[in-house]
Amino acid sequence: GAVVSQHPSRVICKSGTSVKIECRSLDFQATTMFWYRQFPKKSLMLMATSNEGSKATYEQGVEKDKFLINHASLTLSTLTVTSAHPEDSSFYICSASTTIAGDGETQYFGPGTRLLVL
Amino acid sequence: GEDVEQSLFLSVREGDSSVINCTYTDSSSTYLYWYKQEPGAGLQLLTYIFSNMDMKQDQRLTVLLNKKDKHLSLRIADTQTGDSAIYFCAEVLTGGGNKLTFGTGTQLKVEL
């Protein structure tokens, strides 16, 4: 159980185009979904937190107009990188959170999406 | 502050034990986690410990928590080549919702 998928796994796009990445919780309903960005050989940087039906909360320094997050249901969140540029090339990882009674809250991570902007 | 530090690299021989260390600065952690990341993949939760515990054992994995020194460690017994990966510790702070703060990651290399 607790499987999170991301689509696509890898995308290459031209500079100036927009790219949408989907994150789905396959067998559970996620109260919250998170989007992370990971640079090569670096840790994960939290970009934003989203709850179903409400606006995402962005971390300091993350442009909300650049990285659009839509959380339409308890099983789907999307991240759209608008007008992508080469510096947006990165590994984007989502996670979905659910509370397991007695065990605290745990996040389940997707496999990540590799974005390359040419 | 929310700095979480790890050593960058660890190399061990197959069959030996590996100990990956993590230090953090914020004492209001509620849960502390260990994740494994294989090349090009997302994160796999290995284990976690509640902040009022000192130790947790799960098969080959042993987590030790020293709250006084703000030090967390992960011991992998009988390390195998399949354990080669990057290991991240992470913490969730009191009042932080379930927002994770990750360590810098330790690359574990297991040699034959």
Side-chain angles (χ1 to χ4, degrees), chain A residues 105-117:
Chain A
E105 293 180 296
T106 306
Q107 291 182 34
Y108 298 93
F109 285 80
T113 297
R114 176 77 59 193
L115 171 63
L116 177 61
V117 184

PDB file of all heavy atoms in Angstrom, chain A residues 105-117:
ATOM      1  N   GLU A 105       2.631  11.109  11.416  1.00  0.00           N
ATOM      2  CA  GLU A 105       2.386  11.378   9.997  1.00  0.00           C
ATOM      3  C   GLU A 105       3.602  10.979   9.175  1.00  0.00           C
ATOM      4  O   GLU A 105       4.731  11.228   9.547  1.00  0.00           O
ATOM      5  CB  GLU A 105       2.055  12.847   9.808  1.00  0.00           C
ATOM      6  CG  GLU A 105       0.732  13.207  10.446  1.00  0.00           C
ATOM      7  CD  GLU A 105       0.390  14.658  10.271  1.00  0.00           C
ATOM      8  OE1 GLU A 105       1.132  15.486  10.812  1.00  0.00           O
ATOM      9  OE2 GLU A 105      -0.592  14.945   9.596  1.00  0.00           O
ATOM     10  N   THR A 106       3.358  10.355   8.073  1.00  0.00           N
ATOM     11  CA  THR A 106       4.438   9.873   7.222  1.00  0.00           C
ATOM     12  C   THR A 106       4.157  10.282   5.796  1.00  0.00           C
ATOM     13  O   THR A 106       3.017  10.257   5.346  1.00  0.00           O
ATOM     14  CB  THR A 106       4.526   8.337   7.303  1.00  0.00           C
ATOM     15  OG1 THR A 106       4.634   7.965   8.665  1.00  0.00           O
ATOM     16  CG2 THR A 106       5.717   7.817   6.535  1.00  0.00           C
ATOM     17  N   GLN A 107       5.194  10.673   5.124  1.00  0.00           N
ATOM     18  CA  GLN A 107       5.066  11.026   3.719  1.00  0.00           C
ATOM     19  C   GLN A 107       5.547   9.877   2.854  1.00  0.00           C
ATOM     20  O   GLN A 107       6.540   9.225   3.158  1.00  0.00           O
ATOM     21  CB  GLN A 107       5.902  12.271   3.404  1.00  0.00           C
ATOM     22  CG  GLN A 107       5.367  13.531   4.040  1.00  0.00           C
ATOM     23  CD  GLN A 107       6.187  14.744   3.664  1.00  0.00           C
ATOM     24  OE1 GLN A 107       6.698  14.845   2.561  1.00  0.00           O
ATOM     25  NE2 GLN A 107       6.314  15.656   4.604  1.00  0.00           N
ATOM     26  N   TYR A 108       4.823   9.656   1.770  1.00  0.00           N
ATOM     27  CA  TYR A 108       5.196   8.648   0.793  1.00  0.00           C
ATOM     28  C   TYR A 108       5.603   9.365  -0.478  1.00  0.00           C
ATOM     29  O   TYR A 108       4.870  10.216  -0.977  1.00  0.00           O
ATOM     30  CB  TYR A 108       4.039   7.684   0.552  1.00  0.00           C
ATOM     31  CG  TYR A 108       3.660   6.946   1.803  1.00  0.00           C
ATOM     32  CD1 TYR A 108       2.653   7.421   2.636  1.00  0.00           C
ATOM     33  CD2 TYR A 108       4.349   5.803   2.175  1.00  0.00           C
ATOM     34  CE1 TYR A 108       2.330   6.766   3.807  1.00  0.00           C
ATOM     35  CE2 TYR A 108       4.023   5.131   3.350  1.00  0.00           C
ATOM     36  CZ  TYR A 108       3.013   5.626   4.153  1.00  0.00           C
ATOM     37  OH  TYR A 108       2.709   4.972   5.320  1.00  0.00           O
ATOM     38  N   PHE A 109       6.772   8.995  -0.989  1.00  0.00           N
ATOM     39  CA  PHE A 109       7.367   9.738  -2.087  1.00  0.00           C
ATOM     40  C   PHE A 109       7.122   9.087  -3.433  1.00  0.00           C
ATOM     41  O   PHE A 109       7.120   7.856  -3.571  1.00  0.00           O
ATOM     42  CB  PHE A 109       8.874   9.891  -1.862  1.00  0.00           C
ATOM     43  CG  PHE A 109       9.194  10.903  -0.810  1.00  0.00           C
ATOM     44  CD1 PHE A 109       9.114  10.588   0.534  1.00  0.00           C
ATOM     45  CD2 PHE A 109       9.542  12.199  -1.163  1.00  0.00           C
ATOM     46  CE1 PHE A 109       9.389  11.532   1.515  1.00  0.00           C
ATOM     47  CE2 PHE A 109       9.816  13.153  -0.198  1.00  0.00           C
ATOM     48  CZ  PHE A 109       9.736  12.817   1.144  1.00  0.00           C
ATOM     49  N   GLY A 110       6.936   9.942  -4.428  1.00  0.00           N
ATOM     50  CA  GLY A 110       6.888   9.474  -5.798  1.00  0.00           C
ATOM     51  C   GLY A 110       8.288   9.184  -6.294  1.00  0.00           C
ATOM     52  O   GLY A 110       9.272   9.536  -5.650  1.00  0.00           O
ATOM     53  N   PRO A 111       8.392   8.565  -7.473  1.00  0.00           N
ATOM     54  CA  PRO A 111       9.698   8.184  -8.019  1.00  0.00           C
ATOM     55  C   PRO A 111      10.457   9.339  -8.643  1.00  0.00           C
ATOM     56  O   PRO A 111      11.618   9.187  -9.003  1.00  0.00           O
ATOM     57  CB  PRO A 111       9.341   7.136  -9.073  1.00  0.00           C
ATOM     58  CG  PRO A 111       7.959   7.492  -9.492  1.00  0.00           C
ATOM     59  CD  PRO A 111       7.276   8.057  -8.281  1.00  0.00           C
ATOM     60  N   GLY A 112       9.815  10.494  -8.766  1.00  0.00           N
ATOM     61  CA  GLY A 112      10.511  11.667  -9.301  1.00  0.00           C
ATOM     62  C   GLY A 112      10.328  11.845 -10.795  1.00  0.00           C
ATOM     63  O   GLY A 112      10.037  10.899 -11.528  1.00  0.00           O
ATOM     64  N   THR A 113      10.494  13.094 -11.227  1.00  0.00           N
ATOM     65  CA  THR A 113      10.437  13.457 -12.646  1.00  0.00           C
ATOM     66  C   THR A 113      11.690  14.237 -12.989  1.00  0.00           C
ATOM     67  O   THR A 113      11.984  15.259 -12.366  1.00  0.00           O
ATOM     68  CB  THR A 113       9.198  14.328 -12.957  1.00  0.00           C
ATOM     69  OG1 THR A 113       8.019  13.567 -12.698  1.00  0.00           O
ATOM     70  CG2 THR A 113       9.215  14.803 -14.408  1.00  0.00           C
ATOM     71  N   ARG A 114      12.415  13.744 -13.969  1.00  0.00           N
ATOM     72  CA  ARG A 114      13.630  14.431 -14.424  1.00  0.00           C
ATOM     73  C   ARG A 114      13.242  15.393 -15.529  1.00  0.00           C
ATOM     74  O   ARG A 114      12.750  14.974 -16.567  1.00  0.00           O
ATOM     75  CB  ARG A 114      14.629  13.408 -14.951  1.00  0.00           C
ATOM     76  CG  ARG A 114      15.894  13.987 -15.553  1.00  0.00           C
ATOM     77  CD  ARG A 114      16.861  14.442 -14.514  1.00  0.00           C
ATOM     78  NE  ARG A 114      17.282  13.376 -13.621  1.00  0.00           N
ATOM     79  CZ  ARG A 114      17.931  13.586 -12.481  1.00  0.00           C
ATOM     80  NH1 ARG A 114      18.215  14.816 -12.098  1.00  0.00           N
ATOM     81  NH2 ARG A 114      18.293  12.567 -11.733  1.00  0.00           N
ATOM     82  N   LEU A 115      13.436  16.693 -15.302  1.00  0.00           N
ATOM     83  CA  LEU A 115      13.122  17.724 -16.295  1.00  0.00           C
ATOM     84  C   LEU A 115      14.412  18.283 -16.867  1.00  0.00           C
ATOM     85  O   LEU A 115      15.294  18.708 -16.122  1.00  0.00           O
ATOM     86  CB  LEU A 115      12.303  18.855 -15.670  1.00  0.00           C
ATOM     87  CG  LEU A 115      12.097  20.103 -16.532  1.00  0.00           C
ATOM     88  CD1 LEU A 115      11.303  19.769 -17.788  1.00  0.00           C
ATOM     89  CD2 LEU A 115      11.396  21.207 -15.739  1.00  0.00           C
ATOM     90  N   LEU A 116      14.498  18.283 -18.178  1.00  0.00           N
ATOM     91  CA  LEU A 116      15.633  18.887 -18.862  1.00  0.00           C
ATOM     92  C   LEU A 116      15.095  19.933 -19.832  1.00  0.00           C
ATOM     93  O   LEU A 116      14.287  19.617 -20.712  1.00  0.00           O
ATOM     94  CB  LEU A 116      16.438  17.833 -19.621  1.00  0.00           C
ATOM     95  CG  LEU A 116      17.621  18.347 -20.455  1.00  0.00           C
ATOM     96  CD1 LEU A 116      18.644  19.042 -19.563  1.00  0.00           C
ATOM     97  CD2 LEU A 116      18.276  17.213 -21.244  1.00  0.00           C
ATOM     98  N   VAL A 117      15.506  21.159 -19.644  1.00  0.00           N
ATOM     99  CA  VAL A 117      15.057  22.262 -20.504  1.00  0.00           C
ATOM    100  C   VAL A 117      16.215  22.665 -21.404  1.00  0.00           C
ATOM    101  O   VAL A 117      17.289  23.019 -20.917  1.00  0.00           O
ATOM    102  CB  VAL A 117      14.574  23.461 -19.672  1.00  0.00           C
ATOM    103  CG1 VAL A 117      14.014  24.544 -20.601  1.00  0.00           C
ATOM    104  CG2 VAL A 117      13.530  23.038 -18.655  1.00  0.00           C
TER     105      VAL A 117
END
